[in-house]
Amino acid sequence: MLDFSVVLKNAPALLEGAMMTLGISLFSIALGFIGGGLLCLARISAKPWLVGIARVYISALRGTPLLVQLAIVFYFLPLLGLSLEPVSAAIITLAMNTSAFQAEILRGGFQTLARGQNEAAWTIGLGWWKTLRYIQMPQVVRKTLPSLVNETIDIIKNSALISTIAVTDLMRIAQTYSSTTYRPLEFFITAGLMYLLMTSAVAVVGRWVERRMSY
Amino acid sequence: MTQQTHADNTPRTAVELVKLRKRYDDNEVLKGIDLNILEGQVTCIIGGSGSGKSTLLRCINFLEVYQEGEVNVFGKTIGYGMDEQGNRELLPKSLVQQELSEVCMVFQQFNLWPHLSVLENVMAPLRWVKGVPLAQAKQRALELLTKVGMEHKAEVYPLSLSGGQQQRVAIARSLAKDPKIMLFDEPTSALDPELVGEVLKVMQELAQEGMTMVVVTHEMGFAAQVSDQVVFLAEGKIEEQGPPSKLFNAPSSPKLQSFLETWSSRNGAAA
């Protein structure tokens, strides 16, 4: 029968793992938003070489498994003399991965902006940066918020893969304890519920922000 | 570039178009336009769809890049400079915007920014272009909203307003830039008929205050009453131009005659 007492006994370790998962995921999402924003600007710019770089980057990171990307960063970069802590490697990889997805989400948002919005900004006298900062970005973020929340949830779930490069995240803790206690089902059910709790919290916060930002 | 001295009372030239040509690929939309618009005057541009009237207006503030000829605003050629060899070259956008600091435009679709309140829309040119301090910008924006009769909607968002109200806010936003020349691109064409009057009234008041206005419009009544000069465009050329009394009462071009006949048969009594 299921016996969760062993899980309760190790609750602090699981909570620590969950905090690691959440911390790494949210930090990667934030970094990825900055990277994705820049990448999106490159992708929609008028300069062919910038567009080219952005396209190659985006297809490479969208078109290969995250697990492969993690392995390359963690095992390959040290060969070039760049040795990384597992946590740093995890954040860099997740941020690079999500930046490609976020760039495409944001690009979709830019495409839905009516041309007249920019024309009004031009005639008023707003330059490129101020048009981006005051007119385009606020509208694009509002329009793409549901997709960005979705991407955040994806990253939290996909971050379970960083357990393969020895980050002590929720998944890794659950694995470790299930093999030492011979109670895998209890630990994985608990881990699953904890992931669900985290992603649900993100969804709730996302909906709240969406309501606050609606016009 | 003809520019009168304004020591006498002759108004100076605000906008001058010289042999203006604009092409989209092989399709020539403006086929050599020469036009003088004096400061303080209202010029209405009329013509059928596809005649190039909106394109002409959009060339003035460089929303459309023209290829040949010149658009001069207060004697300064918009959009182009000379390189060292004396060849014409496109200026960087930031410079073009500086050249256009005296010009603003009102659009058919209003183009208010939906994520900003009415007040924030009108404050935008003051805060973000002119760098006016917040309290002062707010006060000025409220004055402008009062002028167009929209101060009671200062805190709402544009999409909750009727088309006529949005257009009046858009006019207030343009005025916040403090332009000497206002371009209107079919400002009432997207409005329900009963909302046209409130926008035309604001425009008429502006004209009376001496604003230089270039108006692309289908409102022949407005053109006849308010304008100093009417320009009839057909197939990318100026077919006829002159005072409204002449164009509406004694049109000489057959194309204009048939244009006006079509218009009045569709709208009942002619202007």
Side-chain angles (χ1 to χ4, degrees):
Chain A
M1 276 319 291
L2 288 176
D3 176 12
F4 281 94
S5 62
V6 65
V7 172
L8 272 180
K9 222 187 298 166
N10 293 297
L14 281 167
L15 275 177
E16 226 168 274
M19 290 324 286
M20 180 69 94
T21 289
L22 201 60
I24 288 179
S25 299
L26 294 185
F27 193 51
S28 306
I29 281 287
L31 277 182
F33 181 74
I34 297 168
L38 295 173
L39 208 50
C40 168
L41 290 179
R43 179 68 182 76
I44 63 178
S45 84
K47 299 196 171 60
W49 62 274
L50 267 181
V51 177
I53 290 172
R55 284 176 89 135
V56 169
Y57 179 96
I58 290 168
S59 19
L61 280 123
R62 277 201 315 181
T64 55
L66 180 57
L67 195 52
V68 171
Q69 294 167 15
L70 277 166
I72 289 176
V73 170
F74 190 62
Y75 296 114
F76 183 69
L77 288 187
L79 296 182
L80 302 175
L82 280 165
S83 84
L84 290 170
E85 292 293 304
V87 171
S88 317
I91 290 174
I92 288 174
T93 315
L94 285 173
M96 284 176 70
N97 178 274
T98 185
S99 70
F101 286 92
Q102 292 191 57
E104 285 299 278
I105 291 171
L106 293 172
R107 186 165 73 93
F110 272 97
Q111 279 171 344
T112 64
L113 280 186
R115 199 176 57 154
Q117 293 287 303
N118 299 338
E119 292 187 345
W122 165 264
T123 63
I124 289 302
L126 295 176
W128 176 83
W129 167 246
K130 285 182 176 171
T131 302
L132 180 70
R133 161 83 182 73
Y134 295 120
I135 307 303
Q136 298 176 319
M137 270 324 261
Q139 292 189 64
V140 166
V141 169
R142 273 166 231 216
K143 278 172 203 259
T144 55
L145 201 60
S147 307
L148 291 174
V149 169
N150 213 21
E151 174 63 15
T152 305
I153 289 172
D154 262 355
I155 283 295
I156 291 175
K157 291 187 297 176
N158 291 340
S159 76
L161 290 171
I162 64 178
S163 60
T164 62
I165 58 167
V167 178
T168 50
D169 72 330
L170 179 54
M171 185 64 188
R172 180 85 177 193
I173 299 282
Q175 278 171 332
T176 311
Y177 282 90
S178 46
S179 52
T180 52
T181 61
Y182 301 104
R183 285 281 173 193
L185 204 48
E186 284 86 344
F187 275 99
F188 286 125
I189 287 175
T190 307
L193 288 173
M194 289 171 86
Y195 276 108
L196 184 61
L197 199 67
M198 288 188 270
T199 53
S200 305
V202 168
V204 168
V205 171
R207 269 200 298 276
W208 178 77
V209 175
E210 231 175 283
R211 264 201 312 277
R212 282 287 308 269
M213 286 175 99
S214 70
Y215 46 82
Chain B
M1 297 179 213
T2 55
Q3 189 146 347
Q4 288 99 339
T5 53
H6 42 115
D8 52 25
N9 277 337
T10 344
R12 56 178 176 153
T13 300
V15 181
E16 181 193 33
L17 309 182
V18 186
K19 298 186 175 55
L20 178 67
R21 283 176 184 275
K22 161 76 189 168
R23 276 186 311 274
Y24 297 104
D25 299 321
D26 289 339
N27 178 22
E28 195 168 45
V29 186
L30 297 177
K31 301 171 182 168
I33 304 277
D34 290 286
L35 182 62
N36 239 13
I37 291 164
L38 298 181
E39 191 170 23
Q41 295 207 332
V42 177
T43 300
C44 282
I45 301 173
I46 59 173
S49 68
S51 60
K53 54 192 192 307
S54 277
T55 307
L56 188 159
L57 198 71
R58 290 164 60 87
C59 280
I60 296 177
N61 68 350
F62 222 61
L63 278 174
E64 302 288 347
V65 178
Y66 59 93
Q67 287 92 4
E68 285 173 49
E70 286 173 18
V71 173
N72 298 317
V73 173
F74 292 121
K76 196 146 184 36
T77 303
I78 299 300
Y80 291 100
M82 293 287 178
D83 65 11
E84 288 88 12
Q85 283 85 45
N87 298 316
R88 191 151 102 152
E89 62 170 2
L90 269 175
L91 293 176
K93 283 184 169 182
S94 55
L95 269 181
V96 181
Q97 265 187 325
Q98 279 174 27
E99 293 179 339
L100 289 166
S101 61
E102 311 268 42
V103 183
C104 209
M105 184 182 238
V106 171
F107 299 87
Q108 182 177 355
Q109 298 297 338
F110 333 125
N111 296 345
L112 292 175
W113 298 308
H115 62 298
L116 299 176
S117 72
V118 162
L119 186 66
E120 288 167 335
N121 265 276
V122 181
M123 280 166 66
L126 298 162
R127 295 284 290 146
W128 300 332
V129 181
K130 295 175 166 289
V132 178
L134 182 66
Q136 243 173 293
K138 195 170 171 181
Q139 192 192 347
R140 176 76 183 130
L142 282 170
E143 281 168 22
L144 290 166
L145 284 172
T146 308
K147 188 184 171 80
V148 300
M150 287 300 297
E151 73 285 1
H152 60 298
K153 295 284 189 185
E155 299 303 329
V156 310
Y157 284 85
L159 294 182
S160 67
L161 301 175
S162 74
Q165 291 176 321
Q166 287 190 53
Q167 194 61 298
R168 286 188 281 148
V169 173
I171 292 173
R173 179 179 67 178
S174 289
L175 290 173
K177 193 189 176 187
D178 203 16
K180 291 206 171 73
I181 302 166
M182 290 267 280
L183 311 175
F184 292 85
D185 190 4
E186 304 201 26
T188 58
S189 298
L191 301 180
D192 291 336
E194 75 271 19
L195 302 177
V196 169
E198 62 189 67
V199 172
L200 292 182
K201 185 168 154 277
V202 170
M203 290 171 62
Q204 193 159 2
E205 284 163 9
L206 270 183
Q208 276 158 7
E209 289 167 17
M211 177 67 76
T212 309
M213 293 164 60
V214 189
V215 187
V216 169
T217 186
H218 294 290
E219 294 293 330
M220 298 304 155
F222 177 83
Q225 272 175 34
V226 179
S227 58
D228 301 285
Q229 166 178 238
V230 178
V231 175
F232 174 63
L233 225 58
E235 289 157 27
K237 289 185 193 142
I238 293 183
E239 182 75 16
E240 190 165 347
Q241 77 183 92
S245 54
K246 164 82 174 62
L247 260 83
F248 290 122
N249 300 327
S252 50
S253 136
K255 278 182 190 160
L256 177 55
Q257 285 164 7
S258 91
F259 175 79
L260 291 174
E261 268 163 35
T262 317
W263 188 84
S264 56
S265 69
R266 214 182 300 135
N267 291 273

